[in-house]
Amino acid sequence: MDDFFYRKPSTLGDAVEAFSAADDGVYLAGGQTILPVMKLGLAAPEEVIDLNGIEELQAITASDSVISIGAMATHATVAASEDVKQPLPALASLAGRIGDPQVRNRGTIGGSIANNDPAADYPAALLALGATITTDKRQIAADDFFLDIFETALEDGEIITKVDFPVPDAAAYMKFANPASRFALVGVFVARTGNSVRVAVTGAGPCVFRVGDMEAALEKDFSAAALDGITVPTDDLNADIHASAEYRGHLIGVLAKRAVEVAKENGDGQ
């Protein structure tokens, strides 16, 4: 790892100022991605600006209709928060199954979605729940945020400050995890709010995506049987040593049905 200057600002304003003054700076959230990349010599920023000292980015608040999670809230904090578990246990469950305890205690929601790993769990939750990402500059709808593999709508130097999740009537997340990394080979998040249903898939493609045919079927009949015969084209799905595109396509259907069943079992509030 090359030498670098380390900054740890205590306010959001100080962080933005430090980044603006740096010739080649990078923000550090949980460090689950940038630190390994730096160790491998694939990135060599001159300045690392640590966001962990900014308390305003760590808060979790909840109302009857919206849960707001600060960008620097760790996965473990989200999983354990009663403000998340009570109104939206599907999201708490998702956070509690990310990686291992070491990852959950360091990784953050803001860092995860900013990185937009194609196998990350949180993007499926944001897309299925119709979340809104707030930065130091603007608000971005989840539908407009995730663009492609490791690519988001964030501009250079833009900091995610919080994510607002609307509370659905029913929701569940199911994933088939890589046994070593716990990343999702495929993960499916299903959310129903009134007569509207959203189905988001992670792990299967280069970027999280929605399945419109499944959404339309579930809006007519919110049951696992409504998904019979619906398939996802495999041409653009991931294929690697862990799973073929065809296998991932099959898993989408299986996990979507399981997610619907769990959502129905838990009823309103899940």
Side-chain angles (χ1 to χ4, degrees), residues 164-241:
D164 290 335
F165 293 92
V167 177
D169 295 327
Y173 177 65
M174 301 298 293
K175 78 170 176 177
F176 191 93
N178 181 305
S181 68
R182 311 309 298 169
F183 271 113
L185 285 178
V186 173
V188 180
F189 201 115
V190 175
R192 176 179 62 81
T193 303
N195 295 322
S196 176
V197 177
R198 294 167 69 100
V199 178
V201 177
T202 190
C207 184
V208 63
F209 62 92
R210 291 170 60 186
V211 185
D213 289 348
M214 289 184 175
E215 293 175 347
L218 291 172
E219 286 174 354
K220 295 177 181 178
D221 174 17
F222 194 71
S223 70
L227 301 179
D228 288 345
I230 297 177
T231 60
V232 175
T234 61
D235 293 349
D236 296 325
L237 297 186
N238 297 333
D240 51 34
I241 62 172

Side-chain angles (χ1 to χ4, degrees), residues 1-4 24 26 34 37-38 41-48:
M1 183 184 292
D2 295 340
D3 292 340
F4 58 87
D24 180 21
V26 65
I34 188 59
V37 167
M38 290 171 63
L42 300 176
E46 294 181 1
E47 296 196 21
V48 173

Side-chain angles (χ1 to χ4, degrees), residues 95-113:
R97 288 180 285 158
I98 295 174
D100 53 30
Q102 290 84 354
V103 168
R104 291 193 291 273
N105 280 284
R106 290 299 306 171
T108 66
I109 184 171
S112 174
I113 64 174

Side-chain angles (χ1 to χ4, degrees), residues 89-90 169-174 190 192 222-224 256-270:
D169 295 327
Y173 177 65
M174 301 298 293
V190 175
R192 176 179 62 81
F222 194 71
S223 70
K257 287 185 175 183
R258 291 180 182 176
V260 172
E261 290 172 349
V262 171
K264 289 189 67 174
E265 288 173 4
N266 286 282
D268 288 353
Q270 167 78 7

Side-chain angles (χ1 to χ4, degrees), residues 7-185:
R7 317 287 186 193
K8 192 173 184 179
S10 59
T11 69
L12 183 60
D14 289 343
V16 173
E17 183 178 348
F19 187 90
S20 299
D23 291 330
D24 180 21
V26 65
Y27 290 123
L28 173 67
Q32 302 303 293
T33 299
I34 188 59
L35 293 182
V37 167
M38 290 171 63
K39 288 179 179 179
L40 291 171
L42 300 176
E46 294 181 1
E47 296 196 21
V48 173
I49 302 161
D50 189 346
L51 303 178
N52 282 276
I54 305 176
E55 292 187 8
E56 64 187 287
L57 300 183
Q58 301 175 19
I60 298 177
T61 60
S63 68
D64 291 338
S65 59
V66 177
I67 300 170
S68 294
I69 302 179
M72 290 301 294
T74 65
H75 311 322
T77 298
V78 174
S81 172
E82 292 299 324
D83 285 330
V84 179
K85 290 165 65 175
Q86 291 300 320
L88 190 44
L91 183 60
S93 174
L94 177 153
R97 288 180 285 158
I98 295 174
D100 53 30
Q102 290 84 354
V103 168
R104 291 193 291 273
N105 280 284
R106 290 299 306 171
T108 66
I109 184 171
S112 174
I113 64 174
N115 188 50
N116 193 23
D117 189 294
D121 297 290
Y122 272 125
L126 268 72
L127 198 56
L129 293 167
T132 299
I133 299 95
T134 298
T135 75
D136 60 319
K137 299 179 179 180
R138 55 183 170 147
Q139 290 186 324
I140 311 170
D143 285 305
D144 301 322
F145 184 82
F146 302 104
L147 302 182
D148 205 339
I149 183 170
F150 296 112
E151 182 182 354
T152 71
L154 290 173
E155 299 173 352
D156 188 40
E158 193 170 8
I159 300 177
I160 298 170
T161 59
K162 67 173 182 174
V163 182
D164 290 335
F165 293 92
V167 177
D169 295 327
Y173 177 65
M174 301 298 293
K175 78 170 176 177
F176 191 93
N178 181 305
S181 68
R182 311 309 298 169
F183 271 113
L185 285 178

